[in-house]
């Protein structure tokens, strides 16, 4: 009897389990975890040279040979969950009056807020990431230099599920989130960057 049970378990393990894939049409569906389950999504990490030349977020999500669903994913879908990984559509995200371009950014839930990793936009987010020469130039030339220098840079934003608004997570915001943890706040003060890599270390402490 035990032998048959063992063979049955081995047979089940021989077939890989399909990843759970859920598409959310809007923020309300994401908050309520009420989306559409599918099985044909493909996620692709975009090459650095493509991001540099064309801009946009780090991940491309498609639906194989289904052009209608591909168009939906690109322009209308709000977010996608694949197993435990969450991705938000940057076309749906805003930071003040700024947009992030196309494709998907990795995100995570922490204490009822969503934190996603995207390109720096706006004066507040680019204050520590903009190349020094770009600040000395004005007009279209300065904007072009700044844009090229920031294409691969990443920072974190906090998305408020109640308002749908995003807030840049720099050192000041991170210190607020770390209230009650003086040692972490002291360590944060010593950091010289507000990049996603730095901020992520402290966001993980909030989980």
């Amino acid at each position: 009897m035990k032998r048959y049970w063992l063979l049955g378990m081995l047979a089940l393990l021989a077939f890989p389990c399909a990843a759970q894939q859920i598409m959310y049409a809007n923020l309300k569906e994401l908050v309520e975890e009420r989306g559409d389950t599918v099985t044909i999504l493909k996620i692709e990490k975009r090459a650095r040279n493509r991001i540099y030349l064309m801009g946009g977020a780090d991940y491309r999500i498609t639906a194989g040979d289904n052009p209608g669903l591909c168009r939906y994913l690109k322009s209308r879908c709000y977010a996608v969950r694949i197993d435990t990984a969450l991705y938000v559509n940057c076309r749906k995200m805003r930071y003040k009056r700024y947009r992030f371009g196309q494709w998907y950014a990795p995100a995570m839930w922490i204490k009822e807020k969503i934190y996603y990793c995207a390109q720096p936009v706006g004066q507040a987010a680019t204050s520590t990431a903009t190349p020094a020469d770009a600040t000395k130039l004005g007009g279209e030339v300065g904007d072009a230099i700044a844009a090229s220098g920031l294409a691969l840079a990443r920072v974190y934003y906090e998305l408020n599920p109640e308002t749908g608004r995003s807030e840049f997570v720099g050192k000041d915001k991170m210190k607020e989130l770390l209230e009650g943890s003086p040692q972490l706040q002291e360590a944060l003060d010593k950091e010289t960057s507000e990049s996603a890599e730095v901020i992520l270390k402290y966001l993980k402490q909030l989980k």
Side-chain angles (χ1 to χ4, degrees):
M1 187 69 178
K2 290 183 178 179
R3 184 180 63 181
Y4 293 128
W5 178 85
L6 181 59
L7 289 173
M9 290 298 295
L10 291 174
L12 289 174
L13 293 173
F15 297 96
C17 295
Q20 185 181 34
Q21 304 174 348
I22 304 176
M23 302 184 303
Y24 302 97
N26 49 54
L27 180 57
K28 183 179 180 181
E29 284 193 3
L30 176 59
V31 172
E32 296 176 354
E33 296 186 351
R34 178 176 48 85
D36 296 317
T37 300
V38 293
T39 59
I40 60 174
L41 300 186
K42 296 180 180 179
I43 183 165
E44 169 193 346
K45 183 107 165 50
R46 298 179 67 217
R48 291 172 62 88
N49 62 336
R50 282 188 171 272
I51 296 174
Y52 186 83
L53 292 173
M54 303 176 67
D58 293 331
Y59 291 91
R60 183 171 177 260
I61 301 178
T62 59
D65 297 328
N66 189 324
L69 190 52
C70 284
R71 287 193 296 271
Y72 172 79
L73 285 163
K74 186 175 181 179
S75 60
R76 297 178 59 192
C77 183
Y78 191 89
V80 172
R81 183 182 297 280
I82 299 179
D83 286 338
T84 58
L86 178 65
Y87 304 89
V88 294
N89 189 346
C90 279
R91 291 192 63 164
K92 300 295 185 179
M93 301 296 111
R94 300 287 186 275
Y95 170 61
K96 296 184 177 179
R97 61 184 180 88
Y98 298 96
R99 301 185 179 189
F100 297 98
Q102 300 187 54
W103 306 120
Y104 286 77
M108 54 188 172
W109 280 95
I110 299 178
K111 294 186 176 180
E112 300 182 353
K113 297 290 178 65
I114 299 170
Y115 295 88
Y116 62 95
C117 177
Q119 180 178 336
V121 293
Q123 183 178 0
T126 61
S127 60
T128 60
T130 304
D133 291 342
T135 62
K136 301 175 184 178
L137 299 173
E140 295 181 359
V141 175
D143 290 343
I145 292 175
S148 64
L150 295 172
L152 299 177
R154 294 291 179 267
V155 294
Y156 267 96
Y157 298 88
E158 178 190 82
L159 175 64
N160 187 329
E162 295 182 358
T163 65
R165 295 179 179 178
S166 295
E167 182 178 352
F168 168 59
V169 183
K171 291 179 71 174
D172 291 341
K173 175 64 176 180
M174 195 67 242
K175 285 190 71 174
E176 292 179 14
L177 295 172
L178 292 172
E179 185 177 359
S181 302
Q183 292 183 335
L184 291 175
Q185 289 179 324
E186 183 178 350
L188 179 63
D189 281 333
K190 297 177 182 178
E191 300 285 0
T192 58
S193 170
E194 295 178 311
S195 68
E197 183 180 5
V198 170
I199 296 301
L200 180 59
K201 294 189 302 183
Y202 298 93
L203 285 175
K204 288 180 175 179
Q205 300 300 316
L206 302 177
K207 289 187 174 182

